[in-house]
Amino acid sequence: MTTITITDRASVQARDVTPEGYLRVRARIARTGIQVYRSWEMGMAGDGEVRIYRPPEEVFDAASLASWSLAAITDGHPPDRMVTADNWARYARGVSLSPGVPDGDHVAADLLVTDAAAAARARVAEISCGYTFDLDRTAGTTPQGEAYDGIQRRIRGNHIAIVDNARCGPTCRVGDCAGDCAECTCSQRGSVTM
């Protein structure tokens, strides 16, 4: 198996502003099911699409859920791809207050955005996670009958980014805002950490 670093996007569910001006949000940060990626995002040659399955037993695994606790909140994905002790002060704009918890076919977490500009953006933006996983390149079919090209295993959270545009899917919009997400784009092409 190959370990992959990736970013995915989801929507903010509920918001609260503390007396200090911090934004506290409960957000869906991940989901089960198939997600479509570009080949290069999976460390594969070419620019075609691949369908990667995120089975519930991997997404809701106790270690995966726990990995979201105290994850950095960032304003956009850091160019370094991962938040570490070496770049925390440069990129962190808050922190996840909780581990992930199952929310239907999603994972939700409580986030605290402590930077005023990032808090303002988060009110109208979307949430995108940066994480690693082991790519199992075994193709197959989900229990619902959908074909896939590989499986995400050992999913581990790193950061939760505030972003403008979502990877398409049922969670690509913020709250109940109007609009069609059919033209959403994924993050800029970059190297895949393995």
Side-chain angles (χ1 to χ4, degrees):
M1 280 194 268
T2 303
T3 299
I4 302 291
T5 300
I6 199 73
T7 57
D8 282 330
R9 300 169 188 209
S11 63
V12 172
Q13 295 176 317
R15 303 174 176 109
D16 179 38
V17 178
T18 71
E20 301 82 11
Y22 301 157
L23 179 64
R24 189 176 323 166
V25 296
R26 167 54 73 103
R28 286 180 167 173
I29 61 171
R31 69 174 174 85
T32 64
I34 292 177
Q35 294 186 152
V36 178
Y37 299 89
R38 305 304 298 182
S39 300
W40 55 264
E41 290 181 286
M42 297 295 107
M44 300 174 183
D47 198 34
E49 292 183 343
V50 291
R51 296 168 52 83
I52 305 298
Y53 183 41
R54 296 169 47 86
E57 63 270 18
E58 296 291 341
V59 173
F60 299 136
D61 174 75
S64 176
L65 292 173
S67 71
W68 294 108
S69 181
L70 303 177
I73 308 301
T74 61
D75 193 354
H77 288 289
D80 299 351
R81 307 234 342 137
M82 300 297 272
V83 177
T84 66
D86 292 330
N87 63 23
W88 173 274
R90 200 172 6 184
Y91 300 126
R93 302 293 180 264
V95 68
S96 171
L97 299 173
S98 69
V101 294
D103 180 5
D105 62 351
H106 290 80
V107 172
D110 296 316
L111 313 178
L112 183 67
V113 183
T114 56
D115 176 80
R121 266 186 30 82
R123 290 183 182 102
V124 296
E126 297 166 359
I127 299 298
S128 174
C129 290
Y131 58 99
T132 62
F133 63 90
D134 291 339
L135 178 60
D136 176 348
R137 294 180 189 241
T138 305
T141 305
T142 69
Q144 295 77 26
E146 296 180 79
Y148 58 80
D149 303 304
I151 304 167
Q152 289 185 5
R153 304 218 184 265
R154 279 189 26 87
I155 299 164
R156 299 296 182 265
N158 175 263
H159 66 274
I160 302 164
I162 301 164
V163 298
D164 292 326
N165 298 309
R167 181 182 305 274
C168 285
T171 58
C172 70
R173 289 186 297 260
V174 174
D176 61 354
C177 69
D180 181 1
C181 65
E183 297 302 317
C184 295
T185 59
C186 62
S187 58
Q188 286 188 337
R189 185 175 180 153
S191 63
V192 175
T193 302
M194 300 187 141

